[in-house]
């Protein structure tokens, strides 16, 4: 079972920020939060990951709450090409470092 | 210079046949994976190899047999194909604890 809960779908206007929430209330202290997206039927694409601190890269920002029970992925200026299914994943902390994909959020960016 | 490549992209076959899907990565990663994405779009891990050793083997029928001839290759052989095997199969690679890079997928249709 996935350790994360996400809304099934969201819409966002082109050029606006897309804020995608994720709940991971059972996360352990050394488990990372990863975000991937899947555009149409392509292979999933890595976006960003974090442990405790907020993170930013050229694609997105990741805000993790202080208690680490939830996080938000922010796409600062969404474009039509950002339309995809976004997966929030908690990566197990040791051994095989396996992670389990949930059902994700289908983000539709509207012109 | 594709990072993770899979062949074939499409595979249509009859029930009962045996087929193979090949995967290659040129990223120098030590860990490779096979995922299955069914018609409901759930992405489930099937196998993982680290340095040619099997480290993850989920509850997959033994008709599925992964083979890793070297660190850059992880092939998936499927015996006695069944209708329920129809899905998109994704290969991925990573360093053991790092982000995953996914291939473009192989759409398998069993008639």
């Amino acid at each position: 079972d996935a350790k994360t809960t996400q809304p099934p779908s969201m819409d966002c206007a082109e050029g606006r920020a897309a804020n995608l929430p994720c709940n991971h209330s059972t996360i352990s202290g050394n488990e990372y939060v990863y975000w991937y997206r899947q555009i149409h039927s392509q292979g999933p694409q890595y976006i960003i990951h974090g442990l405790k601190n907020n993170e930013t890269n050229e694609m997105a920002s990741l805000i993790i709450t202080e208690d680490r029970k939830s996080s938000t992925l922010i796409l600062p200026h969404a474009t039509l090409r950002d339309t995809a299914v976004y997966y929030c994943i908690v990566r197990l902390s040791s051994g095989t470092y396996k992670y389990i994909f949930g059902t994700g959020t289908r983000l539709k960016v509207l012109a | 210079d594709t990072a993770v490549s899979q062949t074939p992209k499409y595979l249509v076959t009859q029930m009962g046949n045996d087929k193979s899907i090949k995967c290659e990565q040129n990223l120098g990663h030590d860990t490779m994976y096979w995922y299955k994405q069914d018609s409901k779009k759930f992405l489930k891990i099937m196998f993982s190899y680290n340095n040619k050793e099997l480290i993850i083997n989920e509850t997959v029928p033994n008709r599925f047999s992964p083979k890793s001839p070297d660190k850059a290759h992880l092939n998936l052989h499927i015996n006695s194909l069944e209708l329920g095997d129809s899905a998109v199969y994704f290969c991925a690679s990573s360093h053991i604890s790092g982000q995953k890079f996914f291939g473009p997928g192989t759409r398998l249709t069993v008639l």
Side-chain angles (χ1 to χ4, degrees):
Chain A
D1 291 334
K3 295 184 70 172
T4 61
T5 305
Q6 298 175 254
S9 64
M10 291 181 65
D11 290 342
C12 176
E14 190 178 19
R16 307 295 294 266
N19 298 302
L20 293 95
C22 179
N23 285 325
H24 31 79
S25 57
T26 60
I27 194 169
S28 299
N30 53 355
E31 289 180 330
Y32 281 76
V33 178
Y34 275 72
W35 283 83
Y36 283 75
R37 72 181 183 183
Q38 188 173 24
I39 296 173
H40 194 44
S41 296
Q42 298 176 21
Q45 175 191 25
Y46 166 81
I47 301 172
I48 199 166
H49 73 281
L51 182 63
K52 295 179 185 177
N53 299 324
N54 298 336
E55 302 288 343
T56 295
N57 63 20
E58 63 279 3
M59 288 182 71
S61 294
L62 175 60
I63 308 297
I64 302 174
T65 57
E66 199 168 333
D67 64 7
R68 301 189 69 240
K69 291 181 189 276
S70 65
S71 60
T72 301
L73 177 75
I74 301 173
L75 307 179
H77 306 287
T79 71
L80 298 178
R81 284 178 293 185
D82 292 322
T83 293
V85 177
Y86 286 77
Y87 296 99
C88 168
I89 299 156
V90 168
R91 193 205 73 188
L92 302 183
S93 55
S94 62
T96 61
Y97 298 99
K98 184 172 78 171
Y99 44 72
I100 300 168
F101 284 81
T103 53
T105 295
R106 184 173 295 278
L107 174 71
K108 186 185 267 190
V109 180
L110 305 171
Chain B
D1 47 348
T2 305
V4 181
S5 59
Q6 296 178 228
T7 54
K9 192 168 173 60
Y10 300 96
L11 186 52
V12 181
T13 188
Q14 300 286 332
M15 264 197 318
N17 284 350
D18 302 338
K19 290 292 179 187
S20 292
I21 307 173
K22 295 186 176 181
C23 177
E24 177 181 1
Q25 55 97 1
N26 61 6
L27 298 166
H29 289 156
D30 46 23
T31 308
M32 295 185 72
Y33 312 80
W34 278 108
Y35 283 81
K36 178 182 180 181
Q37 188 167 41
D38 60 24
S39 57
K40 294 183 180 177
K41 303 296 186 183
F42 291 119
L43 259 168
K44 292 183 183 175
I45 190 163
M46 301 172 69
F47 301 104
S48 175
Y49 271 72
N50 177 252
N51 286 318
K52 298 186 351 177
E53 280 195 47
L54 183 65
I55 59 169
I56 295 175
N57 185 352
E58 293 296 292
T59 311
V60 177
N62 57 14
R63 299 182 293 105
F64 290 77
S65 52
K67 294 240 178 347
S68 181
D70 55 57
K71 279 172 46 171
H73 296 85
L74 181 62
N75 303 323
L76 184 64
H77 189 75
I78 315 170
N79 288 328
S80 303
L81 277 156
E82 300 177 357
L83 293 177
D85 297 332
S86 295
V88 182
Y89 291 84
F90 289 100
C91 176
S93 75
S94 73
H95 290 303
I96 183 70
S97 61
Q99 68 191 72
K100 292 181 172 56
F101 291 78
F102 284 81
T106 295
R107 182 174 294 276
L108 172 66
T109 303
V110 182
L111 303 174

